[in-house]
């Protein structure tokens, strides 16, 4: 990790740590993402030739509520690194699909699920939800039921979109275990009657 930190210009790295005892993790400025990724791939000291994953994390209480997390692997050197940048719902993050073409799929997933826009991504289309889907399902402010349900209608012989109809009313649970919530058990009335007749 020290070599990576020493190779980056001052002010690029916002935070760094060894997570869970063995995982190198750096948090960098969003503006420096593309240059940092190029350096991590092309510098022979690091040789991160594989982008394993790109994913998102939603922190609704932060001004820059989304983290975009990149997992890189150097197969030649058997090293891994996690690179994190923060953004909000409107500010795009630089695409790295020109560095690792496989990142196209990961960036599309992150946009589809969280709404993070990737600048320079030529194929920013939905990948996990339907093309007419509204919203981004993994945002923590997205309703759990969604807005529209999609089903195949055999009478029309077509896929139809309808407003969501919940099959049961919302129920408010008290979250007590059955043992805490029950003050009497079935059969207790017999015990009480026996006590009254004995007295």
């Amino acid at each position: 990790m020290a070599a990576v930190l020493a190779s980056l210009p001052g002010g690029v790295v916002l935070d760094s740590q060894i997570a869970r005892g063995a995982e190198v993790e750096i948090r960098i400025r969003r503006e420096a993402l593309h240059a940092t990724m190029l350096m991590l791939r092309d510098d022979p000291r690091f040789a991160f030739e594989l982008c394993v994953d790109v994913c998102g994390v939603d922190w609704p209480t932060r001004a820059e509520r989304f983290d975009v997390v990149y997992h890189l692997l150097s197969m030649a050197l058997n090293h891994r690194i996690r690179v994190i940048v923060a953004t909000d719902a409107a500010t795009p993050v630089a695409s790295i699909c020109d560095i690792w073409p496989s990142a196209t799929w990961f960036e599309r997933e992150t946009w589809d699920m969280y709404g993070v826009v990737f600048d320079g991504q030529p194929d920013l289309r939905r990948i996990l939800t339907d093309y007419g889907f509204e919203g981004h399902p993994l945002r923590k402010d997205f309703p759990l039921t969604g807005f529209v349900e999609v089903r195949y209608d055999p009478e029309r012989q077509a896929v139809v979109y309808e407003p969501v109809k919940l099959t049961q009313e919302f129920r408010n649970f008290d979250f007590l275990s059955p043992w805490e919530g029950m003050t009497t058990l079935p059969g207790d009335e017999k015990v009480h009657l026996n006590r009254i007749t004995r007295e």
Side-chain angles (χ1 to χ4, degrees), residues 19-146:
R20 289 172 284 283
E23 302 171 8
V24 176
E25 182 178 293
I26 62 172
R27 183 176 291 274
I28 63 172
R29 293 194 181 283
R30 183 178 54 249
E31 304 79 26
L33 175 68
H34 198 270
T36 300
M37 294 304 206
L38 268 175
M39 187 268 299
L40 290 173
R41 184 194 68 179
D42 295 341
D43 191 319
R45 294 174 298 165
F46 312 124
F48 288 104
E49 59 268 310
L50 185 60
C51 177
V52 177
D53 188 30
V54 179
C55 60
V57 183
D58 187 7
W59 305 94
T61 56
R62 292 189 340 199
E64 291 189 324
R65 67 182 281 184
F66 300 108
D67 279 345
V68 182
V69 184
Y70 300 85
H71 296 94
L72 308 180
L73 170 66
S74 170
M75 295 184 350
L77 303 174
N78 194 24
H79 292 272
R80 292 178 185 269
I81 191 169
R82 183 179 303 118
V83 180
I84 304 171
V85 297
T87 190
D88 55 29
T91 310
V93 174
S95 174
I96 58 165
C97 67
D98 59 325
I99 302 173
W100 294 285
S102 63
T104 296
W105 289 89
F106 304 138
E107 290 175 354
R108 285 177 63 184
E109 286 177 357
T110 305
W111 176 76
D112 195 3
M113 295 290 106
Y114 294 95
V116 175
V117 177
F118 291 91
D119 187 30
Q121 171 53 256
D123 193 16
L124 205 58
R125 293 178 292 146
R126 296 229 181 239
I127 192 170
L128 297 174
T129 58
D130 188 67
Y131 290 112
F133 190 86
E134 293 180 20
H136 303 280
L138 291 185
R139 286 189 178 188
K140 291 182 180 166
D141 54 5
F142 187 81
L144 295 179
T145 57

